[in-house]
Amino acid sequence: MDSSFDIITDEEVQEVRSALEDGDLCKATERISEYLEEIENAPLNIAITGESGTGKSTFVNAIRGMDDDEEGSARTGVVETTMKPTPYTHQQYPNVTVWDLPGTGTPHFAAADYLESVQFRQYDFFIILSSERFKLNDIVLAKEIQAMNKKFYFVRSKVDSDLHASQVRRKKTYNEEAILKEIRDNCINNLSDGGIAKPQVFLLSCLELDKYDFHEMQNTLEKELPEHKKHIFLISLPNISLPILEKKREALRKEIWKLSTLSCAVATVPIPGLSVAVDVGILVKAMRNYQSAFGLDEQSLEKLANKCGKDVSELRSVIKSPLVVQEINKELVLKLLSKGAGGALMLAEYAASNIPVLGSMAAGGISFGTTYWMLLGFLKEIAEDAVRVLTKALESDV
Ligand SMILES: Nc1nc2c(ncn2[C@@H]2O[C@H](COP(=O)(O)OP(=O)(O)O)[C@@H](O)[C@H]2O)c(=O)[nH]1
Ligand SMILES: [Mg+2]
């Protein structure tokens, strides 16, 4: 994985080339900037539905990386009586909203009326939760969602309880894999019998979201979301597992060449000790984004420490890059730029040989390579530190 991190990939060179095809840098940067803006502003609305008590509110909190007793979290363990969906905005990414929908378990449940009353059009997809077998209401609802041309996924929640019960009751023959398979097969049969073709069911515990089918679910959602929504979906996921950190790193890396093109096209600040100019504002913003995406800002670190019962200083002790936990501002970025001059020049040369337009800009004292190198390096450091921090957090003290 790391090798692809060292330099711009062939695929990206192709992308830059085609963006700059007609040699018109202005037009190309306009397109890139529109694209980045579209990604940044893409709204993502996720609807959580199912019968009362299935874990909807708990799921809403978990997917936002929150505990149930945190301020701004959804109330759990209470029966919702209102028919109105409650929006929960992501704390760091306000475009992302998880909607806690009213319970579906009423005796005269009418799926079409329900969907109308929760304004189904506004959601990107529905997650239908059940903590046991899927009921008629779940099936009726899924069919209606399909009829409205929307996507849905089934989540079988509380599998931790099933496993625990089995562990207590069948000490000798306990087999986690077998139990999960049995639950999964049951759910799928149950839904197929109800007339749902190829149901997608994910087994989860809202109490330990990173376990069981969470990664499969996240991969599926990512695949099925429209292109411009994938990024925010990935970036806003809670930093609960190493695969998520890896996904975020990859998503952020893919943006770097676009940011670099922009940064050199609107070059503003000359770099001390280096005969090039870049837009430092773009760098500052991107680096701050990385910090919050990986949860290495002060607030996120404290939350993580709390959650795993460790001291913040213990988590911080594994961070190797001094940059990672600093306040990122223009001064810091300028300092770094002047230090990283060697690498930047090397990449500028590389870009010049492969991408003629960028080459002529480099000759004019404007560097694509400087921004590219800088962001790539920072992303690598911060992603590696995020892995170290999470590994430390998950370590048991015994
Ligand atoms: N063991 C276990 N308990 C859960 C899980 N999800 C929710 N709960 C518990 O189930 C109860 C109902 O959850 P809640 O989120 O309020 O359900 P809602 O009515 O669908 O919003 C609460 O006591 C939760 O703590 C889970 O995955 N595993
Ligand atoms: Mg609830």
Side-chain angles (χ1 to χ4, degrees), residues 147-216:
M148 307 287 182
N149 271 324
K150 290 273 177 182
K151 282 194 185 295
F152 59 88
Y153 304 90
F154 292 104
V155 163
R156 167 56 160 80
S157 61
K158 305 194 188 180
V159 295
D160 58 306
S161 297
D162 296 80
L163 291 172
H164 180 70
S166 180
Q167 221 164 6
V168 172
R169 299 293 308 152
R170 303 185 216 164
K171 286 191 190 69
K172 281 192 220 129
T173 55
Y174 177 76
N175 178 337
E176 178 173 313
E177 274 310 303
I179 297 163
L180 293 175
K181 182 172 181 327
E182 194 182 318
I183 299 175
R184 190 174 294 112
D185 291 349
N186 267 337
C187 287
I188 291 175
N189 291 338
N190 176 209
L191 291 165
S192 312
D193 290 349
I196 308 281
K198 292 193 190 149
Q200 307 204 60
V201 184
F202 302 104
L203 273 48
L204 295 184
S205 164
C206 303
L207 310 188
E208 298 162 295
L209 197 63
D210 58 312
K211 286 194 171 170
Y212 314 112
D213 291 345
F214 185 71
H215 287 285
E216 221 178 295

Side-chain angles (χ1 to χ4, degrees), residues 182-363:
E182 194 182 318
I183 299 175
R184 190 174 294 112
D185 291 349
N186 267 337
C187 287
I188 291 175
N189 291 338
N190 176 209
L191 291 165
S192 312
D193 290 349
I196 308 281
K198 292 193 190 149
Q200 307 204 60
V201 184
F202 302 104
L203 273 48
L204 295 184
S205 164
C206 303
L207 310 188
E208 298 162 295
L209 197 63
D210 58 312
K211 286 194 171 170
Y212 314 112
D213 291 345
F214 185 71
H215 287 285
E216 221 178 295
M217 176 166 102
Q218 168 237 300
N219 281 332
T220 304
L221 293 177
E222 183 200 338
K223 245 190 286 161
E224 298 192 359
L225 275 171
E227 206 51 47
H228 66 292
K229 301 211 182 203
K230 276 181 191 164
H231 189 80
I232 188 74
F233 171 70
L234 281 177
I235 298 304
S236 66
L237 286 173
N239 292 310
I240 51 177
S241 72
L242 301 181
I244 288 184
L245 297 181
E246 188 54 50
K247 284 260 173 193
K248 288 194 181 187
R249 179 173 172 173
E250 191 51 29
L252 291 166
R253 198 187 64 83
K254 281 187 183 153
E255 271 195 337
I256 292 183
W257 76 261
K258 297 188 180 82
L259 292 167
S260 308
T261 309
L262 282 192
S263 138
C264 69
V266 289
T268 49
V269 182
I271 309 305
L274 195 67
S275 61
V276 296
V278 300
D279 187 327
V280 176
I282 289 179
L283 277 165
V284 171
K285 189 172 155 199
M287 289 166 72
R288 284 189 184 149
N289 271 344
Y290 296 176
Q291 226 174 23
S292 61
F294 286 110
L296 292 179
D297 52 299
E298 201 56 35
Q299 203 190 350
S300 307
L301 274 176
E302 250 159 53
K303 245 171 82 167
L304 180 65
N306 243 345
K307 203 174 242 170
C308 63
K310 292 193 160 74
D311 203 75
V312 185
S313 62
E314 200 181 333
L315 296 185
R316 216 181 269 130
S317 72
V318 297
I319 294 179
K320 284 198 182 155
S321 166
L323 291 175
V324 166
V325 285
Q326 271 187 55
E327 151 90 20
I328 291 164
N329 53 31
K330 204 172 144 181
E331 287 68 41
L332 177 74
V333 170
L334 278 173
K335 211 164 76 194
L336 290 174
L337 281 168
S338 52
K339 268 202 298 196
L345 285 178
M346 191 181 96
L347 195 79
E349 258 167 50
Y350 179 85
S353 62
N354 277 282
I355 311 158
V357 183
L358 296 177
S360 56
M361 288 192 308

Side-chain angles (χ1 to χ4, degrees), residues 56-57 75-76 78 80 100:
K56 292 186 297 300
S57 306
R75 273 188 72 199
T76 57
V78 290
E80 292 293 342
D100 198 352

Side-chain angles (χ1 to χ4, degrees), residues 50-51 104 109 111 115 128-130 133-147 152 154 186-197 199:
E51 293 196 352
T104 55
F109 178 73
L115 286 179
I128 305 175
L129 255 71
S130 176
R133 28 186 290 288
F134 286 91
K135 309 278 173 57
L136 184 64
N137 282 350
D138 300 316
I139 293 170
V140 170
L141 180 64
K143 287 182 179 167
E144 196 62 33
I145 294 173
Q146 200 157 34
F152 59 88
F154 292 104
N186 267 337
C187 287
I188 291 175
N189 291 338
N190 176 209
L191 291 165
S192 312
D193 290 349
I196 308 281

